[in-house]
Amino acid sequence: MGPLRRGLISTAILLGTAPLAAYAQTSVCSSLRPNWDAGTTATAVDELVALMSTPPSLILLVATALVVRLRHQWGALVVVLAWTVWMSTLTLGTPAPLTLQAMAEGCIGSSSLFITTVIALCVATILYTTRGAKNPPTTEK
């Protein structure tokens, strides 16, 4: 009966220290996403909307539109670098255990769709702004 009792006690201790939904909601989710509804789980689209609606993302979207409209190559480079810094700040800014715990509870979705969207936007910006700046063709006789 000794090993069985020790096994039950250790299992009870492990289950007692596991992060529960109420504990995570008050500590992690309330600090990372204070307006989150505990009944729903965040999806990748929800995370895309949440990250694109932050002020730095909105400023960068306006700057990207301006650079594309003017077809300014150096401006495109600056905007792409700013997007890179912003994505790095978002993905590396929050400690991984907190993010993983919040993802497990459902208040944060996967940011992969946001990262993919920003990468596609940056590639399109670079390709579009460099397309009109090619040297004119030379005619050789």
Side-chain angles (χ1 to χ4, degrees):
M1 187 88 170
L4 179 64
R5 192 176 347 178
R6 269 184 269 141
L8 290 174
I9 291 173
S10 63
T11 304
I13 289 172
L14 286 175
L15 289 177
T17 59
L20 300 174
Y23 174 73
Q25 182 180 355
T26 58
S27 64
V28 177
C29 290
S30 64
S31 64
L32 292 178
R33 298 287 163 89
N35 296 328
W36 173 65
D37 180 19
T40 60
T41 58
T43 62
V45 176
D46 294 334
E47 192 69 15
L48 172 71
V49 170
L51 293 176
M52 280 294 192
S53 63
T54 60
S57 293
L58 293 175
I59 290 169
L60 286 171
L61 282 171
V62 170
T64 304
L66 185 64
V67 163
V68 166
R69 173 67 179 103
L70 297 176
R71 276 198 167 181
H72 195 269
Q73 287 180 337
W74 290 104
L77 178 65
V78 170
V79 167
V80 166
L81 289 175
W83 272 114
T84 305
V85 168
W86 177 235
M87 276 193 332
S88 299
T89 303
L90 286 177
T91 56
L92 301 175
T94 308
L98 292 178
T99 305
L100 291 176
Q101 187 177 5
M103 286 176 106
E105 293 303 320
C107 63
I108 290 182
S110 174
S111 61
S112 61
L113 187 60
F114 172 74
I115 292 170
T116 306
T117 303
V118 170
I119 289 172
L121 184 68
C122 290
V123 168
T125 301
I126 292 295
L127 290 177
Y128 185 77
T129 56
T130 58
R131 190 149 112 160
K134 292 183 180 177
N135 293 333
T138 59
T139 55
E140 295 181 20
K141 293 184 180 183

